[in-house]
Amino acid sequence: MVALVIESALAGKLALFQKIGAARQKSAALRLLLSLALTLLCSLSIVMTIEWVARGEFASAWTYLLSPSRPGLATIGVVMLAMLALDALIGRAHLSALIVAPLLLIPAFISNQKQNFLSDPLYPSDFLFGRQIMELMPIMVRDRPWTAIALAIGIIAGTGAIILFWRYIRSHTVALSRKERFGRLSVCLPLAALFASQMDPTQYSLLREKLGIIPIVWDQTENYNHNGFTLAFALNLPMADVKSPAGYGPGAIDAMPARNYGYLSGPRQKPDVIMLMSESLWDPTRLSNITFTPDPMPTIRARQSGYVFSPEFGGMTANVEFEALTGFSNAFLPYGSIPYQQYVRRPLPSLATFFRGEGYMTRALHPFSGWFWNRNEVYRAFGFEEFHTQETLPPMDKRGMFAADDSLMKEIMSEGDAAERPFFFFAVTLQGHGPYEAARYAENTVDIAGNLNDDDRAALATYAQGVREADDSLKMLMDWAEKRDRETIIVLWGDHLPPLANVYPNTGYMPQQVATRKAPLDVMKKEHETPLVVWSSKKGVRKDIGTISPSQLPYHLLKTAGYEHPFYTGFLGRVQKKYNIVDRYQLATRDNQTFPDWARKEQELDPTVRDYRYLQHDMMFGHQYGLERFFPSHAELMGHENS
């Protein structure tokens, strides 16, 4: 009897323990379910806010999340995976939101601002020049002081809020057990690795297609619009790795015809050469229904040879400079890349090494810091003997915060007068840099007539005054050159249109504050052409050049100077006979015939363009199989320096 009682009691206790265990399991499962639901809600809120901030409008962000053809849900899933993995590493649920949210929201805000000023979203490569952004902060603060104050207050308040939330959540959440942490990591890490393996835009992925992720690398505006900021940014990460074009190799380089110009002695008397890339130089009289009195650029207009088709707008000066000095094209590089920051890591052929091979003194001048755009290292790689910056140049007069053009021209004349042998000077001016604050000049000498509001009139008046002073400084340089015994060649062009903000849409010149990246040729020319002057003190203006890419400047410069070269006049000469504009979106001929989206049709690529791409890749990333045939002076110079 006793045994039966004991057995019954034990059975009752066992049943009770089983009920307690089942209740605990239910409680743990419910707790896990609630925790996952809260993480999902946080992920949804973060993604929605990111898209709202990056796009600048709520409706577009909401459409992105709801559209079945867009990867809004996939983005939420990716953010949720990251949060769960971080929670496991930290040891407490939901703390990861305080890490993930600012890490994604701050770049989204920067991307929005970059689109407002430069028409492009934020790319991974932009973080390579964070120092430049910090250097420009005083200028931005001066232009928008109240915005800067509000931003500073927001950063301080946001940091304080994150610290308080961190303490509160940490003290009110239960620590994850070792089993819970391991379980989260064992699920999240493989899924994250699988997702990361599908993000190379150069490779087809069925999974990526099913998720609605479409790498639109040829049109980054649409890429960010379709895929959202987070995924588009991730898709651009692998693009920093430039792959060899199909068919590249020693055989492909050897098959290219290259004439030997070594037997030619060049001009009887070697001319001095000055290349001037003028910051934001553009013809403001092209604005609709606006008149300027007097003409702000009479010297440039009287001696204009044509136009440069800038691949940029409002900024990215270094990309235009890269083309002008090397003869290579940004069209063959990943969209959003900055070769000065990413790719110039070894000696590269340039006009500097060509002219050094001809016995010239080669010097670069820019009245700003040498580290900006990595110019110290780039100019060394390009073969310049000297680079004079604001640290080594004499004190210069200022226009606002920037060195005056006429002060830089006087320095060029002084250094030219002191030169004992022919010289090649490459100078980048600074005075024309935005923002175009109303009080930059003591007096604006160009009257503007037209229907403009006060802000637009003030910005345009400042810009027009800068153009007039740039024009005056060019005249001063040309007057000096005409008095010299030695022929002096001057090449001047604008790197891109100025960032005049609302002036463009308010005057009807462009529909937006920034230029389009992909449009019919007449629209692209209107929004990307800058004045070009190619002038000789002995021969006058080189006329009827038309509209050319910056990569064609070496051809016209050397032809004007009387030189021949396997690449700069030979190969580029063959290119310019077919195409005077080589842009990543379209090729254009002198008679305005266009070939849009040519880069997406590799099987149909013109052999001339294909060889151009091969040769550029060979010099920048490959084995330089064509170095001695196409760039003999560079090969000889590097041989001497290495011996």
Side-chain angles (χ1 to χ4, degrees):
M1 184 72 179
V2 174
L4 288 172
V5 171
I6 293 173
E7 185 177 345
S8 176
L10 289 173
K13 284 185 178 180
L14 181 60
L16 178 63
F17 286 143
Q18 287 175 340
K19 288 180 180 179
I20 292 172
R24 283 180 175 173
Q25 285 181 345
K26 277 188 176 181
S27 176
L30 181 61
R31 191 169 64 247
L32 175 61
L33 186 62
L34 290 174
S35 178
L36 291 175
L38 183 56
T39 304
L40 176 61
L41 183 61
C42 288
S43 303
L44 171 63
S45 301
I46 289 172
V47 171
M48 182 65 200
T49 309
I50 288 167
E51 292 303 319
W52 186 2
V53 169
R55 297 166 186 264
E57 56 182 21
F58 181 82
S60 177
W62 190 244
T63 301
Y64 167 74
L65 287 179
L66 294 181
S67 173
S69 63
R70 297 187 184 184
L73 295 179
T75 306
I76 294 170
V78 170
V79 173
M80 186 174 177
L81 279 178
M83 290 179 62
L84 290 172
L86 276 174
D87 284 341
L89 294 174
I90 296 169
R92 288 183 183 270
H94 316 307
L95 269 178
S96 58
L98 300 179
I99 299 174
V100 173
L103 283 179
L104 293 177
L105 284 171
I106 292 172
F109 173 76
I110 295 172
S111 182
N112 175 270
Q113 293 301 300
K114 186 186 174 193
Q115 288 179 89
N116 288 337
F117 286 99
L118 299 177
S119 79
D120 274 341
L122 185 71
Y123 303 120
S125 58
D126 291 333
F127 287 100
L128 294 171
F129 51 93
R131 187 179 174 190
Q132 278 91 319
I133 296 173
M134 295 307 297
E135 185 77 9
L136 289 174
M137 283 300 291
I139 301 168
M140 298 168 69
V141 169
R142 181 176 174 180
D143 183 48
R144 297 184 177 183
W146 291 111
T147 302
I149 291 171
L151 185 60
I153 293 172
I155 291 172
I156 295 170
T159 304
I162 288 173
I163 294 172
L164 291 175
F165 275 121
W166 182 279
R167 289 180 176 178
Y168 178 83
I169 295 174
R170 189 171 181 83
S171 63
H172 286 76
T173 55
V174 178
L176 296 173
S177 67
R178 182 174 297 179
K179 182 179 178 181
E180 289 173 321
R181 296 173 71 178
F182 178 77
R184 292 181 183 223
L185 288 175
S186 63
V187 173
C188 294
L189 292 183
L191 287 175
L194 174 64
F195 180 79
S197 69
Q198 307 299 305
M199 293 306 284
D200 185 349
T202 64
Q203 303 296 321
Y204 172 75
S205 166
L206 179 62
L207 174 62
R208 197 172 61 210
E209 184 179 278
K210 294 297 183 183
L211 292 174
I213 304 171
I214 304 174
I216 311 173
V217 296
W218 57 90
D219 186 345
Q220 288 292 344
T221 300
E222 183 58 27
N223 192 26
Y224 279 70
N225 181 55
H226 175 85
N227 294 305
F229 173 78
T230 305
L231 294 184
F233 188 88
L235 285 166
N236 280 321
L237 285 169
M239 296 179 70
D241 178 26
V242 182
K243 293 180 171 58
S244 298
Y248 164 74
I253 301 298
D254 289 343
M256 297 180 195
R259 184 179 174 188
N260 179 16
Y261 293 105
Y263 62 90
L264 297 175
S265 59
R268 183 173 300 176
Q269 184 183 42
K270 295 178 179 179
D272 291 326
V273 177
I274 302 170
M275 290 187 82
L276 294 171
M277 188 167 69
S278 186
E279 174 63 45
S280 298
L281 178 67
W282 175 67
D283 182 0
T285 66
R286 300 181 88 178
L287 286 170
S288 310
N289 305 316
I290 305 295
T291 58
F292 298 82
T293 308
D295 182 356
M297 44 180 281
T299 304
I300 295 172
R301 199 177 309 284
R303 294 170 173 82
Q304 192 165 340
S305 302
Y307 297 94
V308 163
F309 183 92
S310 175
E312 304 296 343
F313 174 87
M316 296 297 178
T317 298
N319 283 355
V320 182
E321 186 178 320
F322 164 77
E323 291 200 11
L325 282 172
T326 63
F328 297 148
S329 176
N330 288 286
F332 304 129
L333 299 174
Y335 192 105
S337 62
I338 302 97
Y340 271 27
Q341 297 286 347
Q342 295 167 296
Y343 306 134
V344 182
R345 295 291 181 266
R346 63 183 183 185
L348 283 180
S350 75
L351 287 175
T353 52
F354 166 76
F355 281 111
R356 279 182 67 181
E358 296 295 326
Y360 280 64
M361 169 201 304
T362 58
R363 186 174 296 170
L365 304 94
H366 180 50
F368 202 63
S369 297
W371 57 262
F372 204 79
W373 289 124
N374 198 33
R375 284 190 176 103
N376 281 329
E377 300 304 320
V378 169
Y379 286 164
R380 188 176 296 114
F382 283 178
F384 281 100
E385 294 172 302
E386 299 177 29
F387 177 29
H388 293 185
T389 68
Q390 69 177 9
E391 291 84 9
T392 56
L393 288 166
M396 293 194 167
D397 297 334
K398 296 290 183 69
R399 295 292 186 270
M401 296 183 66
F402 304 118
D405 283 0
D406 65 346
S407 194
L408 179 60
M409 296 308 113
K410 288 174 183 176
E411 177 61 21
I412 290 173
M413 291 186 290
S414 175
E415 294 190 21
D417 287 337
E420 297 181 354
R421 54 194 172 105
F423 61 78
F424 168 62
F425 290 168
F426 176 76
V428 182
T429 71
L430 193 58
Q431 181 178 337
H433 204 292
Y436 305 105
E437 67 280 11
R440 180 182 295 192
Y441 301 101
E443 180 184 6
N444 290 332
T445 60
V446 180
D447 292 328
I448 302 174
N451 186 19
L452 292 166
N453 62 45
D454 291 343
D455 289 341
D456 289 350
R457 186 177 297 276
L460 191 55
T462 295
Y463 178 72
Q465 182 64 28
V467 171
R468 181 169 189 179
E469 295 195 10
D471 191 84
D472 289 342
S473 68
L474 176 64
K475 184 177 186 306
M476 176 177 64
L477 186 67
M478 287 179 165
D479 290 344
W480 165 80
E482 286 180 327
K483 296 173 184 175
R484 305 180 74 230
D485 292 333
R486 188 191 299 274
E487 179 186 8
T488 305
I489 294 171
I490 297 174
V491 178
L492 172 135
W493 76 99
D495 53 350
H496 49 68
L497 268 69
L500 288 173
N502 287 320
V503 170
Y504 294 121
N506 288 349
T507 59
Y509 190 78
M510 299 190 311
Q512 304 294 331
Q513 293 185 7
V514 295
T516 52
R517 295 288 184 180
K518 187 177 181 181
L521 184 60
D522 58 337
V523 176
M524 292 292 284
K525 282 187 173 184
K526 183 178 181 181
E527 300 179 1
H528 289 270
E529 282 182 337
T530 66
L532 168 64
V533 173
V534 180
W535 175 86
S536 162
S537 61
K538 304 298 183 185
K539 302 183 216 114
V541 179
R542 186 178 180 90
K543 296 183 178 180
D544 300 324
I545 289 179
T547 301
I548 62 171
S549 288
S551 56
Q552 285 291 335
L553 287 170
Y555 169 81
H556 291 283
L557 168 59
L558 264 60
K559 280 293 188 181
T560 304
Y563 286 106
E564 298 288 349
H565 182 268
F567 178 76
Y568 295 120
T569 60
F571 189 89
L572 288 184
R574 293 200 297 275
V575 172
Q576 66 90 36
K577 283 182 179 178
K578 284 191 171 184
Y579 309 106
N580 55 336
I581 296 175
V582 180
D583 182 70
R584 68 175 67 254
Y585 289 126
Q586 61 186 347
L587 302 171
T589 63
R590 187 172 293 275
D591 59 359
N592 295 326
Q593 184 181 3
T594 60
F595 300 87
D597 295 329
W598 59 272
R600 298 173 60 190
K601 306 169 184 174
E602 285 209 33
Q603 302 302 321
E604 305 171 21
L605 204 59
D606 185 326
T608 301
V609 179
R610 179 203 62 202
D611 288 351
Y612 193 2
R613 184 181 181 190
Y614 282 164
L615 195 52
Q616 177 172 323
H617 185 88
D618 186 49
M619 292 300 109
M620 294 185 68
F621 310 105
H623 298 281
Q624 298 191 334
Y625 299 120
L627 182 63
E628 293 187 359
R629 283 204 308 138
F630 287 96
F631 301 96
S633 54
H634 182 83
E636 185 177 357
L637 182 64
M638 292 302 103
H640 286 318
E641 291 186 353
N642 294 330
S643 61

